[in-house]
Amino acid sequence: MKKISRRSFVNKFGVGLGASVVITTLPSFLTAPESSKKLYTGKKINIALCGLGNYASMLAEGIEVSEYCHLAGIVTGTPSKAEKWKAKYNIPEKNSYNYENFDEIKNNSDIDLVYIVMPNGLHKEYTIRSAKAGKNVITEKPMAVSVKDCEEMIKACNDNNVQLAVGYRLHYEPYHLELKRLGQQKVFGQIRFIEASVGYKTYDTLDTKTIVDKNDRSEWRLNKKLSGGGPLMDLGIYCIQASRYVLGEEPIAVTAQFGHINDKNRFSETEESISWQMEFPGGATANCNTSCGFYIDRFYATADEGFFQLSPALSYGPFEGKTSEKELKFPVINQQKTQLDEICKVLLENKKLPNHITGEEGLKDIKVINAIYKAAETGKKVFL
């Protein structure tokens, strides 16, 4: 059986991200198909990507085909990477920064927004530095590694009159918008049970006793200082998010169990697998699993009068799904382009970002994650 690493997971489920498929079953709450839209030629939001790893490359590809944003700058601690990106994306030298001179970005009117694509443990530092530089911020999820960090990030952005978003790409994805509609509008009645799972098998090696160099973060997910935790932080957040936005409710209690550690060397600092259960005020229960030890990617919800499901469900797609009545068929979109265009449209209109993608939303996720870890560590139910 072929091994599935995180990189192959990303690559496999990134297939088709650049495609545009027009299908007549688009729900009315989605924007019009690309082919029927008038080409936008106005001002764009100039973005600097902070951290140039694998996902930053996916974001750059999305920005290239976007309508409302432009890749104007980069931030990296690797000079050779900076040279490659400057040449590929025609980025001027004055818009290329490293982690030491990053604060000088405040004097650069070419940059409107900093998108932080760094290890979780560095999100707080670079969000606050970006805010103090007067730049709007998008940070990858999870927003940070602690409630305190999230609160400080929100305060810094408010104090400096800039907006803070979290990279919830699935909030704009057609299949997930349909899941949200089916759940919150109770199309099949009251939801009683959700199963959400996502995992991949990593074959990376890491001496976790070694402090990861700031310029080489390839193994950072196994380093608790940089990651804040294992697959619960990296992948489990998708299960938490999907359960929350399908139900339109916040969990009121959680129980949890750490899974077996098959490689104690590599997982000496973070969990390899974890399962947890969330109780919601409407009576629904969500049973969730995530792992760096096995592959899984599915979402299932059953209600009083039917069910709906996706598999693949929580990765980069392409997604496949059905309900108890029919197969689900929606366009394969570029998730990064769509997310960024929707955020940048709001910023260009000088409006407030919607609550579902702001720092306050990211804070809610971290509170749930903290409760899950506490429940797994104590073996007791934790109330939120």
Side-chain angles (χ1 to χ4, degrees), residues 202-210 219 221-224 260-272:
T202 174
Y203 292 88
D204 296 337
T205 59
L206 174 66
D207 175 4
T208 54
K209 303 296 183 185
T210 304
E219 313 287 1
R221 287 176 182 82
L222 301 181
N223 182 298
K224 191 169 184 179
H260 179 72
I261 297 177
N262 295 297
D263 191 332
K264 294 182 180 179
N265 235 1
R266 288 161 54 237
F267 294 98
S268 63
E269 296 185 20
T270 63
E271 76 277 4
E272 183 174 342

Side-chain angles (χ1 to χ4, degrees), residues 77-351:
T78 308
S80 60
K81 195 176 286 188
E83 293 305 314
K84 180 180 176 181
W85 277 66
K86 282 187 291 184
K88 183 174 182 178
Y89 295 104
N90 195 28
I91 294 170
E93 178 63 36
K94 68 183 183 69
N95 291 357
S96 176
Y97 297 88
N98 57 47
Y99 300 119
E100 284 67 43
N101 67 10
F102 174 77
D103 298 323
E104 295 175 15
I105 204 169
K106 68 182 178 183
N107 302 315
N108 192 337
S109 59
D110 288 349
I111 308 296
D112 303 309
L113 181 150
V114 177
Y115 196 135
I116 298 165
V117 203
M118 305 176 78
N120 309 331
L122 298 175
H123 289 182
K124 171 191 166 183
E125 176 186 347
Y126 285 88
T127 293
I128 292 174
R129 290 171 73 176
S130 298
K132 288 181 176 179
K135 309 300 179 183
N136 293 307
V137 184
I138 305 175
T139 185
E140 258 314 300
K141 59 197 169 301
M143 178 180 171
V145 299
S146 72
V147 168
K148 182 174 180 290
D149 284 359
C150 292
E151 290 172 343
E152 290 180 14
M153 292 160 71
I154 293 168
K155 183 178 187 302
C157 290
N158 289 338
D159 288 350
N160 289 279
N161 199 30
V162 299
Q163 297 210 57
L164 171 62
V166 182
Y168 291 119
R169 58 184 168 79
L170 293 180
H171 285 215
Y172 301 102
E173 197 283 322
Y175 282 89
H176 282 261
L177 287 171
E178 178 67 354
L179 293 187
K180 182 178 178 180
R181 185 186 75 85
L182 292 172
Q184 291 197 21
Q185 294 185 16
K186 294 182 169 58
V187 173
F188 295 105
Q190 179 64 49
I191 292 177
R192 300 300 177 185
F193 177 77
I194 286 174
E195 193 271 319
S197 300
V198 62
Y200 63 86
K201 190 160 187 174
T202 174
Y203 292 88
D204 296 337
T205 59
L206 174 66
D207 175 4
T208 54
K209 303 296 183 185
T210 304
I211 297 175
V212 177
D213 182 79
K214 212 176 187 185
N215 296 332
D216 180 15
R217 303 193 179 94
S218 59
E219 313 287 1
W220 65 266
R221 287 176 182 82
L222 301 181
N223 182 298
K224 191 169 184 179
K225 184 178 180 181
L226 289 177
S227 65
L232 177 60
M233 297 286 285
D234 187 30
L235 299 171
I237 189 169
Y238 290 102
C239 303
I240 296 167
Q241 269 284 305
S243 300
R244 288 178 55 231
Y245 57 65
V246 167
L247 290 168
E249 298 177 356
E250 298 302 320
I252 56 175
V254 299
T255 51
Q257 308 80 35
F258 289 120
H260 179 72
I261 297 177
N262 295 297
D263 191 332
K264 294 182 180 179
N265 235 1
R266 288 161 54 237
F267 294 98
S268 63
E269 296 185 20
T270 63
E271 76 277 4
E272 183 174 342
S273 302
I274 188 169
S275 301
W276 70 98
Q277 302 76 43
M278 296 183 288
E279 298 174 15
F280 290 86
T285 299
N287 187 22
C288 304
N289 304 274
T290 189
S291 178
C292 286
F294 56 81
Y295 171 75
I296 190 168
D297 185 7
R298 57 170 287 161
F299 177 91
Y300 176 85
T302 185
D304 287 341
E305 300 166 20
F307 71 86
F308 48 96
Q309 65 183 46
L310 292 182
S311 184
L314 300 167
S315 54
Y316 296 105
F319 301 121
E320 295 181 12
K322 64 180 181 180
T323 74
S324 46
E325 294 180 346
K326 64 181 180 180
E327 189 176 357
L328 295 175
K329 286 287 187 181
F330 295 110
V332 174
I333 66 165
N334 184 313
Q335 296 173 24
Q336 290 73 29
K337 170 196 180 299
T338 304
Q339 170 201 315
L340 286 164
D341 270 345
E342 291 301 318
I343 290 173
C344 290
K345 271 197 296 185
V346 174
L347 294 176
L348 287 166
E349 293 168 356
N350 292 315
K351 295 179 179 178

Side-chain angles (χ1 to χ4, degrees), residues 63-82:
I63 293 171
E64 275 200 302
V65 295
S66 68
E67 292 184 83
Y68 300 102
C69 54
H70 168 68
L71 180 56
I74 53 173
V75 185
T76 179
T78 308
S80 60
K81 195 176 286 188

